[in-house]
Every structure is written in structure tokens, then in C-alpha cells.
Amino acid sequence: IKEMFGKYVDPQVVEGLLARNSVSDSGERRVMTVFFSDIEGFTSFGESMTPGALVRLLNQYLTSVTEPIRASHGIIDKYVGDAVMAFWGPPFVQGGNPAVLACHAALMQQERVAALQKDLPDIMGIKIGLPVIRVRMGLTTGEVTVGSIGPEDARSYTVIGDTVNLASRLEGANKLYKTRIIIDDQTQSMAKDEIETRELDLLRVVGKQNAERVYELLGRKGDISEALIQLRNQFEMALALYRRQNWEEALAGFNYCLEIDPNDGPSQVFVERIANFKVNPPNKDWDGTWLSSSK
């Protein structure tokens, strides 16, 4: 058993499953919260860095974001370059709320990334031409298949299913909305008493038949500024007008959001959408769903 589980990335898998005698080759259906993250534009970093500097940066980054995941009882599923996949749920989360733990870990990771940005001159040994690290994250909660998957000499204790695929798609959807953390409706519902969010859209991602109500994760409960609260409330009112195809009133609402924060990505996106819809209106039975064309 130790030889088998010694191949896993996360030591909590070894400790947790051995302690509970839960080692099994058969898959199980469990409700988990799944997390994906990726550094925006990371592939271009290598063009301006030496291999040594790139490796130092990547190792420091992965250390910074791994600690909050493990501290909150999350399991690192895999690293793929700068991308990270993790999950929260039984048997590793005992009596806690996996959605809350995952959301808090994501917020802590963003704080660690901000601290890492300040330390880049020391890490890389340069002061000019430093990269700007922006990390996109997606979180979903739902039923997954979990188990030990792979050939005998390279097993991986992992999760698979639509919930996993959606988390990956939501991580990528941050490109569309110019946001950093997007969560699905189930995660928001389970964690809403402990987090601050704003509803972003009804989004149908590639590979899904139904639209998902998605939210931007803003912060811990009671831990966001008054300006951000005002922006969130105004945005959600404008979003309701947008769905009713009240273009002028919705446009005024999103423009007011941009007065509060000229760099607010979602407001910029909806201003552009409305300009297009005024020329090419959707069908009368349109319910506000936006179809994502990219993965």
C-alpha cells in the first residue's frame, strides 16, 4: 500500500486513506468541490526569462499556492506546468464544508500571489521587466467519481466527471469576464454564509447542454470594501435589466459601475455586449444565457 500511494503527489492522500483503511481500486460517487487554477499568459513568461529564473519563479509560485490548499484539507490532484488541480471532500474533509474551505483557500492563494509579486525582484534577481502574475481560478461543487486510476506502476487518486470539467471551463471563463475567481451556483449556495460574491451571468460552457449560473468570488463574508459592495449591488441590478432586454437602462447601470471602478472587467464586457445586442437583438424568448465559444 505504501509503495502504491508513495507515487501520489499529495501526502494527505496516503495518510488519510491509510488511517481510514479506505484503499480501494473501485470508484466511488462523492460530492466534492473541485478547483482549477492557471497563470494568465504564463507561456509567454519563458520568452523573456532564463530557464533558471523561470524554474525559480514556478517553484516559488507552486509553493505559495499549495500551502493554503493543504492547510484547508484540500488535496492536490496534479500540477501541469503552472496549472493546479485540487479537490475537497470526504474522507479528507471531516465535518467541514468543502465549498467554504475551497473558497477560503482560493482567496488565500490570491493573497499569496500578491505577496509573491512584491518578492519577485529578490526571487528573480532583477528589478526591471518583471512579469505581472495574474491567476485565474474556477471552483465547482457536485457529484464526481473518485478513485485510484491508471496503470499499476503509475496510479493517481483523482476525481472525474462533469463537475471536474465545469471547474476547468470556469477557470478559463475568467478570460471572458476579466475576473480572477469564478464559482458555480452549487458552490455559492453551499458557501454563501461565509463568502461575498456577485452574480456574473447565465453561462453555457463548451460541452454542456444547460446554462450554469456563475458568480465571481469577491472575498470572505464581511471583508470587502463599501465601494465593492456598491459595485456588486449596482451590477446585479443592471444584470436583471439586461436579461429583460432593457438595453438603455442596463447600459446606464453598467456605466455607473464603471464610474465606481473604471477597470471592472465584467461591466466592460456587458457594455460591449449591449452595444452588439442593440444592433443584433437576441430572440424574444432569450433567457439571458451566454454561450461560451472557447474552452
Side-chain angles (χ1 to χ4, degrees), residues 60 178 221 283:
Q60 190 64 47
K178 305 175 187 178
K221 195 71 172 180
N283 298 329

Side-chain angles (χ1 to χ4, degrees), residues 2-198:
K2 287 182 178 179
E3 181 181 354
M4 174 182 174
F5 283 95
K7 299 182 177 69
Y8 292 160
V9 171
D10 197 314
Q12 291 185 85
V13 172
V14 186
E15 297 167 4
L17 296 186
L18 287 179
R20 297 176 180 85
N21 195 27
S22 301
V23 180
S24 174
D25 283 340
S26 61
E28 298 177 278
R29 300 290 290 178
R30 294 183 182 272
V31 174
M32 299 270 193
T33 297
V34 182
F35 166 95
F36 277 84
S37 71
D38 194 43
I39 299 178
E40 181 180 310
F42 184 78
T43 53
S44 65
F45 285 11
E47 298 174 2
S48 58
M49 293 184 194
T50 65
L54 187 63
V55 169
R56 285 197 303 275
L57 172 60
L58 185 56
N59 286 339
Q60 190 64 47
Y61 165 73
L62 292 175
T63 298
S64 297
V65 298
T66 294
E67 289 172 352
I69 294 173
R70 289 182 172 164
S72 62
H73 308 291
I75 300 299
I76 301 292
D77 186 290
K78 60 178 66 72
Y79 303 109
V80 182
D82 62 296
V84 180
M85 176 183 169
F87 58 88
W88 284 256
F92 310 102
V93 175
Q94 294 291 314
N97 184 324
V100 171
L101 292 170
C103 286
H104 284 182
L107 292 168
M108 177 60 73
Q109 288 179 75
Q110 291 289 355
E111 292 168 4
R112 294 289 183 90
V113 169
L116 177 63
Q117 186 73 49
K118 294 180 180 179
D119 292 338
L120 279 188
D122 293 332
I123 295 170
M124 301 182 64
I126 58 174
K127 294 183 178 180
I128 300 174
L130 291 166
V132 177
I133 304 175
R134 285 179 54 88
V135 181
R136 298 185 294 249
M137 300 176 176
L139 294 99
T140 57
T141 301
E143 197 172 69
V144 300
T145 297
V146 58
S148 183
I149 297 173
E152 289 295 332
D153 59 347
R155 290 293 178 89
S156 175
Y157 188 82
T158 190
V159 291
I160 57 175
D162 284 346
T163 299
V164 179
N165 297 334
L166 180 59
S168 177
R169 297 288 186 264
L170 294 191
E171 178 270 306
N174 285 285
K175 301 176 192 176
L176 171 63
Y177 299 100
K178 305 175 187 178
T179 50
R180 297 196 182 187
I181 312 175
I182 295 180
I183 66 176
D184 74 335
D185 189 49
Q186 183 64 20
T187 302
Q188 196 274 344
S189 177
M190 289 181 62
K192 61 184 179 182
D193 293 337
E194 301 290 339
I195 58 174
E196 300 280 2
T197 61
R198 73 163 151 178

Side-chain angles (χ1 to χ4, degrees), residues 3 23 77 140 156 161 172 224 229 236 248 255 264 277 287:
E3 181 181 354
V23 180
D77 186 290
T140 57
S156 175
I224 61 174
I229 292 172
E236 291 185 345
E248 294 299 334
N255 279 327
D264 184 53
F277 278 145
D287 63 357

